[in-house]
Amino acid sequence: MNGIIKQIEKGKPFFEKISRNIYLGAIRDGFLAAMPAILFSSIFILLAAIPEIFGFKLPNDVSTWLWKVYGYSMGVVAILVSATTARCLSESMNRNMPTNKTINSVSVMLASIVSFLLLSVDQIENGLANGYMGTKGILAAFVAAFITVNVYKFCVLKDITIKMPKEVPGTISQTFRDIFPFSFAVFAAVLIDTIVRYFFGHSFAEAVITLLQPLFTAADGYLGISIIWGAMALFWFVGVHGPSIVEPAIVAIIYANVETNLQLVKAGHHASNVLTVGLGNFVGTMGGTGATLVVPFLFMLFAKSKQLKAVGKASFVPVCFAVNEPLLFATPIILNPYFFIPFLITPMINVCAFKFFVDVLGMNSFMYVLPWATPAPIGLILGTGAGILSIVLMLLLIVVDSLIYLPFIKAYDDSLVEEEAKKAEVIELEEAAEAEIDDQIQAVADGKHHNILVLCAGAGTSAMLANALTEGAAELGIDLSSTAGAYGSHYDIMKDFDMIVLAPQVNSYYEDIKKDTDKLGIKLVATKGAEYIKLTRDPKGAVQFVLSHFE
């Protein structure tokens, strides 16, 4: 088993390179930026749909208003994503552009929106058709963003612009500088739209969906969903954030299928599309990548070692909300031969069981989008319409996942018990030593204010260290503030901080972000798994760790 893991680990640099690809990053960050609209719309669709599940019919005016809010948010999400993706990609490219050559992110957003409309929307009498403004148009939104940003990049690098006299104010000069790249980007979309409509008879967005439908159908099968969520777990097992690699490839279809399922149910049909965002959040990664929801509870119930019992107590709350990094790094599960098999096969079995319930037993698939941090049992039940079968499935998954993980947990626990028995001495810190460390921390702090930004993949794990730093600073009376953030949403705020700390799952971005921190004169620190978890549990130690990098 160790040999297999070593062979897989050899591919880690390649996996990290993929995860740092600026186009995949733009898709991820663009979706993250548009997530408030998606989550906002989910509130209204739940308010409109859930009462009807229990036989209560809302007044027509109320129901119409709720669906209208949903339609004007989720119904135009592709427009929003075309803009946010273009902005994120342009910002990534700007970090590698020559001095004094910068892509205007605001202009890029506007051009991307116009390009998307040309690629996706049909003209109808007195208006525009909205069929592809929502989730069905997301692929076209990505294409529009990528084309637009690259056209702008070419024009900026080749200095294809309208130059104004130096006396003209900067804002006006920038407007004229953007005329050519804006025009060329939109014209590129016009050419694509014209060619596609000539050969296919409909919009680019519709053509892409039609051409890729066989691939989406294959991905919706047992083998397809097993590969997708097995790959996420495999990447995470070697220490690379799996969703960052896999999700950008499927993000368009998993959201489009939710909308399709909703329309099927509203028309009185079966919601049969399995490959959805809910399948990942609440089934394939219930409790986090590797489907680890049951693991902390198994630790607390069955483990004899002090280590696993402590990890279970410390991690069961965050794992319930799909933040399982404390579990992955403190156990550790990452690169631990004992957990290689259950970590990979559990999510694969879960998604296949879900598909069986949908295809064979007739349970509805996910038709609502809920926040990813919703506890998996609640997310699965509500997201599929709160049917009896969804409750049965959730109970079944908990039992099956427990049966899969338990033998491997017992084997690992036995090895830890033996190790703990050999440790005859326990090193304790004397009070005098603690006082000395506190004095050292105070000396390094030197009365200065320090503002720390902690980054992880989704702002969940980073909040743990940020809270520890806040607590430690309060205990020591040090002027230090800390903020948790998600990688990708930090670009506009990083200038306000003195240091950025990277959580383990975003360590692969160290070289990318270092270019920005060096320009701004900000300190950058990367942490390792076990080290990070230890810091989250030791507020004073966390403060000492941070301040030691200011010495």
Side-chain angles (χ1 to χ4, degrees), residues 256-275:
N257 278 347
V258 172
E259 178 66 22
T260 301
N261 284 340
L262 178 62
Q263 299 306 321
L264 286 170
V265 171
K266 288 176 66 178
H269 301 301
H270 176 220
S272 57
N273 295 288
V274 170
L275 186 59

Side-chain angles (χ1 to χ4, degrees), residues 66-146:
L66 291 172
W67 284 104
K68 178 180 179 180
V69 175
Y70 173 80
Y72 278 72
S73 49
M74 192 68 167
V76 295
V77 71
I79 297 178
L80 305 179
V81 168
S82 69
T84 55
T85 303
R87 178 189 176 186
C88 291
L89 181 58
S90 66
E91 289 176 343
S92 294
M93 288 188 172
N94 276 337
R95 286 191 287 278
N96 295 312
M97 293 284 282
T99 305
N100 297 325
K101 288 188 178 292
T102 305
I103 301 170
N104 185 348
S105 296
V106 175
S107 181
V108 159
M109 293 173 70
L110 300 178
S112 184
I113 291 173
V114 176
S115 297
F116 165 75
L117 293 175
L118 286 164
L119 294 176
S120 308
V121 179
D122 294 322
Q123 287 183 306
I124 57 177
E125 187 176 355
N126 298 323
L128 301 173
N130 63 359
Y132 287 87
M133 292 185 185
T135 54
K136 292 172 66 177
I138 288 175
L139 282 174
F142 295 151
V143 172
F146 294 164

Side-chain angles (χ1 to χ4, degrees), residues 13 24 46 179 197 222 225 229 309 317 330 353 373 424-425 428 483:
L24 295 182
L46 287 173
I179 289 177
R197 288 185 185 277
Y222 286 100
I225 58 178
W229 275 276
K309 281 190 174 294
V317 172
E425 298 181 359
E428 297 180 356
T483 302

